[in-house]
């Protein structure tokens, strides 16, 4: 091993510091999102930089990004040391359009659902979720009346 494992964190320490259950840490590791080294006793030892990666994973999940998307982004970051400010800036630039589209979709959903919830009846004439006899199937999965036109909405 090329690094001193004494400077690394155990899975319990990472779980405690990150607030992420050890089962999720193992899952993230199985998916290649985080990495550990093994001690002489075959215990996982994580570099401290893993805490930033985990914080990034959790933040990305909160805004609705899939683990596949998160994994693709993390693959562009260094594995042997903490990412630099420039690394994070590059990654953020790549996601700006995606996040802007998601924000737009969420705002449209919020604005349209407020009317539905406010009236209490889910007005079948104007509801963005109502789809009689699946007439809107040709526009793809989901609720096409709530999607921006750029994503196949109508």
């Amino acid at each position: 091993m090329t690094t001193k494992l004494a400077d690394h964190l155990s899975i319990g320490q990472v779980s405690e510091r990150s607030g992420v259950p050890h089962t999720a840490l193992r899952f993230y590791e199985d998916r290649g999102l985080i990495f550990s080294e093994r001690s002489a006793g075959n215990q996982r030892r994580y570099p401290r930089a893993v805490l930033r990666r985990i914080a990034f994973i959790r933040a990305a999940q909160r805004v609705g990004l899939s683990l596949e998307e998160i994994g693709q982004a993390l693959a562009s970051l260094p594995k042997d040391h903490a990412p630099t400010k420039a690394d994070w800036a590059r990654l953020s630039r790549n996601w700006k359009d995606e996040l802007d589209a998601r924000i737009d979709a969420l705002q449209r959903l919020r604005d349209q659902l407020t009317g539905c919830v406010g009236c209490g009846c889910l007005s079948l004439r104007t509801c963005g979720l109502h789809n009689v006899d699946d007439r809107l199937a040709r526009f793809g999965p989901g609720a096409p009346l709530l999607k921006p036109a750029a994503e196949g909405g109508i």
Side-chain angles (χ1 to χ4, degrees):
M1 273 178 226
T2 59
T3 59
K4 287 177 53 178
L5 291 182
D7 296 336
H8 285 51
L9 302 170
S10 70
I11 192 167
Q13 291 169 316
V14 173
S15 178
E16 184 177 328
R17 296 274 310 275
S18 67
V20 174
H22 61 87
T23 53
L25 296 174
R26 287 191 202 104
F27 177 76
Y28 292 163
E29 192 170 350
D30 289 344
R31 298 288 301 260
L33 301 175
I34 62 174
F35 303 92
S36 69
E37 296 180 43
R38 295 294 182 147
S39 70
N42 203 31
Q43 296 174 330
R44 288 178 170 86
R45 294 290 185 251
Y46 296 92
R48 291 183 186 278
V50 77
L51 295 171
R52 281 192 217 163
R53 289 176 78 93
I54 294 167
F56 174 79
I57 292 165
R58 300 299 279 195
Q61 285 180 309
R62 275 189 220 104
V63 298
L65 296 171
S66 70
L67 286 180
E68 183 178 338
E69 292 168 311
I70 295 167
Q72 290 169 355
L74 288 173
S76 71
L77 296 176
K79 293 177 181 71
D80 59 343
H81 63 278
T84 65
K85 185 177 179 179
D87 291 328
W88 288 118
R90 178 180 34 78
L91 191 146
S92 297
R93 275 192 309 274
N94 292 341
W95 275 0
K96 184 180 181 325
D97 292 339
E98 173 68 22
L99 292 175
D100 286 344
R102 287 175 189 249
I103 289 167
D104 177 61
L106 287 169
Q107 288 173 332
R108 289 165 47 93
L109 177 63
R110 177 205 58 211
D111 295 346
Q112 292 183 22
L113 284 180
T114 299
C116 290
V117 173
C119 77
C121 71
L122 290 172
S123 174
L124 299 183
R125 252 182 240 142
T126 61
C127 180
L129 300 174
H130 187 63
N131 183 8
V132 176
D133 298 325
D134 201 23
R135 288 187 327 239
L136 303 175
R138 68 179 188 266
F139 295 104
L145 295 174
L146 297 178
K147 292 181 186 176
E151 292 181 25
I154 53 175

